[in-house]
């Protein structure tokens, strides 16, 4: 038996490859399918089934493209309805894979179609459970994403409690739990950075197994933040056949000269995106470019900040990363990349066009500037929860996730010094604020992490 977790850190997402005697399955595939085809070829495996645990919110699945490429059958759980060919599994249905078997366990709660898949070896011993967003390591899936007028968030939380306690808890303690997401996903509140664990450990350490039903529902529904706006779009995309991935890649990796790039950039509906490193963007970029670097939580921030999933995008990338940019945009449903700036910012500048730099200060200069009264408008742009945990006393909070609202309260004539946790999100904030006419934004290098390491005796951290 081969069981491989394919964990994509920037999406906090786990897909799975299982193979036995030349027959294989993929669970929760990402949008691009070539890695699965390569893995199958490497292991002399024919992909027989593609299992989806639920209509994912965090990303768009590649199940349709993968089924076309392999002839595999897409398996969806009970209650799932989609606009492509699939097999609707019943609760307890058995699928044979070489010497192995996979059994569906319908576990409504996170969503009503959510289904776990139980892997057994050829002796019938329970080996692993692929839990989707029903059970994470240290957490469970949020119950509000599929709430409707006739099915409240509390109703879904109740279903999830029943699924956990009546469907999952009775399984063997030594089976390995493989979830669809880990820390960083917006589908839970307190997920661990671990990507697998035994069920026994989770029953001992995961709060979800320790509460009675009433307390569980209260815990799960309190303090929920608004989900990213792209979530429902991704769910809708996973219920239908979308533009094939090769078409998206071919169009998105079109090389554009500065003249062609400028012509597109001047069209109001086209967004210029700079995907390079923090240091490269700060040194020089195009005046209207939004920064969302590939080296950070790229796709989640794209989804959180670009409201229109159909947004046309042209981009600047480090040489050789162009296909990766288009791939990672498409993973969260942004399929309308139109091309990249050939030769990058250097070609743009050499053509006589304007570039801009983003001013930066060290954490110590930031602390000293606040203490001396020289920095008049400092801002903390981390998430509200991070700010609530610890911040510089008196420092205003304006989270990046609400930049499109709070940037309008800034004054164009002022200079703002901003920090996040590490210097990545604050640069995104600075770039978007600039697109709203706030040109004097200074980034604090290293963010709050560096601030805590500086001499802070002149200010107070609370």
């Amino acid at each position: 038996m081969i069981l491989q977790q394919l964990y994509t850190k920037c999406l906090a997402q786990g897909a799975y490859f299982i193979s036995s005697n030349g027959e294989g399955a993929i669970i929760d595939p990402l949008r691009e399918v070539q890695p699965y085809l390569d893995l199958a070829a490497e292991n002399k495996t024919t992909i027989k089934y593609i299992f989806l645990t639920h209509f994912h919110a965090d990303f768009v699945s590649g199940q349709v493209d993968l089924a076309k490429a392999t002839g595999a059958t897409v398996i969806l759980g009970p209650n799932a309805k989609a606009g492509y060919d699939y097999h609707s599994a019943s609760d307890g249905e058995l699928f044979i894979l070489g010497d192995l078997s996979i059994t569906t366990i319908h576990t409504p709660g996170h969503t009503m179609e959510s289904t776990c898949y139980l892997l057994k070896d050829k002796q019938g011993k329970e080996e692993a459970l692929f839990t989707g967003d029903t059970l994470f390591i240290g957490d469970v899936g949020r119950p509000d994403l599929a709430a409707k007028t006739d099915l409240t968030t509390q109703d879904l939380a109740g279903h999830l409690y029943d699924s956990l306690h009546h469907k999952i808890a009775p399984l063997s303690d030594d089976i390995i739990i493989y979830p669809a997401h880990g820390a960083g996903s917006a589908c839970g509140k307190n997920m661990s950075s671990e990507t697998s664990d035994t069920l026994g450990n989770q029953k001992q350490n995961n709060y979800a197994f320790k509460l009675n039903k009433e307390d569980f529902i209260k815990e799960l529904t309190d303090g929920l933040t608004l989900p990213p706006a792209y979530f429902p779009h991704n769910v809708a995309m996973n219920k239908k056949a979308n533009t094939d991935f090769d078409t998206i890649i071919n169009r998105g990796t079109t090389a554009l000269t500065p003249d062609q790039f400028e012509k597109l950039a001047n069209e109001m509906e086209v967004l210029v995106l700079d995907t390079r490193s923090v240091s490269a963007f700060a040194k020089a970029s195009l005046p209207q470019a939004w920064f969302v670097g590939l080296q950070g939580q790229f796709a989640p921030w794209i989804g959180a900040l670009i409201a229109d999933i159909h947004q046309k995008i042209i981009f600047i990338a480090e040489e050789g990363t162009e296909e990766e940019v288009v791939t990672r945009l498409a993973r969260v449903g942004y399929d309308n990349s139109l091309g990249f700036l050939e030769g990058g910012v250097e070609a743009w500048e050499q053509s006589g066009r304007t570039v801009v730099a983003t001013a930066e200060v060290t954490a110590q200069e930031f602390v000293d500037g606040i203490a001396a009264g020289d920095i008049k408008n400092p801002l903390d742009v981390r998430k509200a929860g991070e700010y609530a945990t610890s911040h510089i006393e008196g420092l205003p909070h304006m989270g990046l996730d609400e930049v499109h609202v709070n940037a309008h309260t800034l004054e164009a004539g002022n200079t703002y010094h901003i920090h996040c946790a590490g210097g990545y999100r604050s640069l995104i904030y600075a770039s978007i604020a600039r697109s709203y006419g706030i040109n004097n934004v200074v980034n604090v290098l290293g963010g709050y992490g560096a601030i805590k390491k500086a001499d802070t005796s002149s200010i107070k951290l609370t």
Side-chain angles (χ1 to χ4, degrees):
M1 177 181 76
I2 299 169
L3 167 54
Q4 186 168 336
Q5 182 184 59
L6 305 162
Y7 198 77
T8 303
K9 195 171 181 181
C10 65
L11 273 179
Q13 189 270 348
Y16 299 91
F17 171 77
I18 306 163
S19 174
S20 173
N21 283 345
E23 292 186 338
I26 303 292
I27 297 177
D28 289 342
L30 284 179
R31 189 78 181 271
E32 68 274 24
V33 303
Q34 194 58 48
Y36 310 118
L37 300 179
D38 292 344
L39 198 53
E42 179 185 327
N43 291 285
K44 297 181 173 53
T45 295
T46 298
I47 297 177
K48 187 176 179 182
Y49 298 117
I50 303 163
F51 294 96
L52 262 61
T53 55
H54 65 300
F55 291 123
H56 323 283
D58 288 37
F59 61 94
V60 180
S61 291
Q63 76 278 20
V64 175
D65 283 352
L66 188 57
K68 285 180 182 175
T70 62
T73 301
V74 177
I75 308 296
L76 303 178
N79 300 328
K81 297 185 185 306
Y84 46 80
D85 291 337
Y86 67 97
H87 174 79
S88 179
S90 57
D91 191 17
E93 187 167 348
L94 190 70
F95 298 89
I96 301 300
L97 200 69
D99 289 335
L100 310 175
S101 70
I102 294 178
T103 304
T104 57
I105 300 178
H106 186 212
T107 51
H110 174 65
T111 62
M112 289 307 288
E113 85 280 5
S114 284
T115 298
C116 297
Y117 297 102
L118 178 64
L119 176 69
K120 295 181 182 178
D121 67 14
K122 61 182 178 182
Q123 283 80 36
K125 180 178 179 296
E126 297 174 352
E127 292 282 347
L129 185 69
F130 304 93
T131 56
D133 287 17
T134 296
L135 174 61
F136 297 127
I137 307 305
D139 202 355
V140 294
R142 57 191 298 167
D144 59 320
L145 301 180
K148 304 172 183 175
T149 53
D150 61 340
L151 195 64
T152 67
T153 296
Q154 285 71 24
D155 292 335
L156 284 161
H159 282 298
L160 185 52
Y161 179 91
D162 291 338
S163 292
L164 288 168
H165 287 265
H166 303 315
K167 294 290 193 70
I168 294 180
L171 300 174
S172 303
D173 280 354
D174 58 352
I175 63 170
I176 306 299
I177 299 299
Y178 289 113
H181 296 296
S185 167
C187 275
K189 292 191 290 189
N190 299 297
M191 281 179 268
S192 167
S193 58
E194 299 297 323
T195 60
S196 64
D197 193 11
T198 64
L199 177 59
N201 281 340
Q202 285 305 296
K203 285 161 70 173
Q204 286 186 357
N205 300 313
N206 190 325
Y207 73 93
F209 287 105
K210 298 179 178 179
L211 302 174
N212 62 39
K213 190 169 185 176
E214 181 180 355
D215 290 342
F216 175 86
I217 292 172
K218 185 175 187 308
E219 172 67 26
L220 209 58
T221 55
D222 277 354
L224 285 170
T225 57
L226 285 175
Y230 72 98
F231 271 24
H233 296 296
N234 281 189
V235 170
M237 292 179 74
N238 284 324
K239 292 180 178 178
K240 66 179 185 178
N242 300 293
T243 304
D244 70 87
F245 186 70
D246 289 342
T247 299
I248 295 168
I249 291 295
N250 290 335
R251 181 177 58 216
T253 54
T254 301
L256 301 169
T257 66
D259 285 346
Q260 293 170 321
F261 197 86
E262 183 177 53
K263 184 179 179 182
L264 283 171
N266 287 336
E267 295 182 8
M268 291 296 290
E269 71 271 21
V270 176
L271 175 69
V272 178
L273 188 66
D274 193 327
T275 66
R276 298 172 300 153
S277 66
V278 166
S279 58
F281 178 83
K283 182 179 178 183
S285 190
L286 276 60
Q288 70 273 51
W290 287 15
F291 167 76
V292 185
L294 274 183
Q295 295 172 4
Q297 289 285 315
F298 177 79
W301 281 116
I302 289 290
L305 297 171
I306 302 177
D308 181 5
I309 203 165
H310 303 296
Q311 175 69 55
K312 295 175 182 174
I313 295 171
I314 53 177
F315 63 91
I316 305 161
E318 303 283 1
E319 186 175 357
T321 65
E322 296 86 2
E323 183 171 330
E324 184 181 356
V325 170
V326 181
T327 297
R328 290 170 68 173
L329 286 168
R331 283 175 180 167
V332 284
Y334 292 80
D335 291 354
N336 290 316
S337 303
L338 302 180
F340 69 94
L341 179 59
E342 188 172 28
V345 173
E346 292 76 13
W348 183 264
E349 192 168 17
Q350 288 168 8
S351 71
R353 292 174 169 86
T354 300
V355 298
V356 295
T358 303
E360 297 177 307
V361 295
T362 66
Q364 192 63 61
E365 289 170 334
F366 181 64
V367 169
D368 294 344
I370 293 173
D374 297 331
I375 290 178
K376 307 295 184 185
N377 299 292
L379 294 175
D380 184 334
V381 301
R382 295 175 297 161
K383 292 185 176 179
E386 295 172 279
Y387 181 83
T389 300
S390 178
H391 62 270
I392 298 174
E393 189 174 66
L395 207 72
H397 174 251
M398 285 192 174
L400 171 61
D401 47 0
E402 297 182 3
V403 61
H404 295 302
V405 175
N406 63 43
H408 291 291
T409 68
L410 305 180
E411 296 184 18
N414 289 343
T415 296
Y416 296 91
H417 288 71
I418 65 174
H419 80 79
C420 60
Y424 172 79
R425 287 176 288 171
S426 51
L427 207 56
I428 299 174
Y429 193 104
S431 70
I432 296 176
R434 183 185 291 145
S435 74
Y436 288 126
I438 312 300
N439 293 313
N440 299 315
V441 180
V442 181
N443 186 42
V444 178
L445 290 164
Y448 199 64
I451 290 168
K452 289 193 292 186
K453 294 177 182 175
D455 177 2
T456 57
S457 56
S458 60
I459 60 172
K460 183 177 180 181
L461 305 183
T462 184

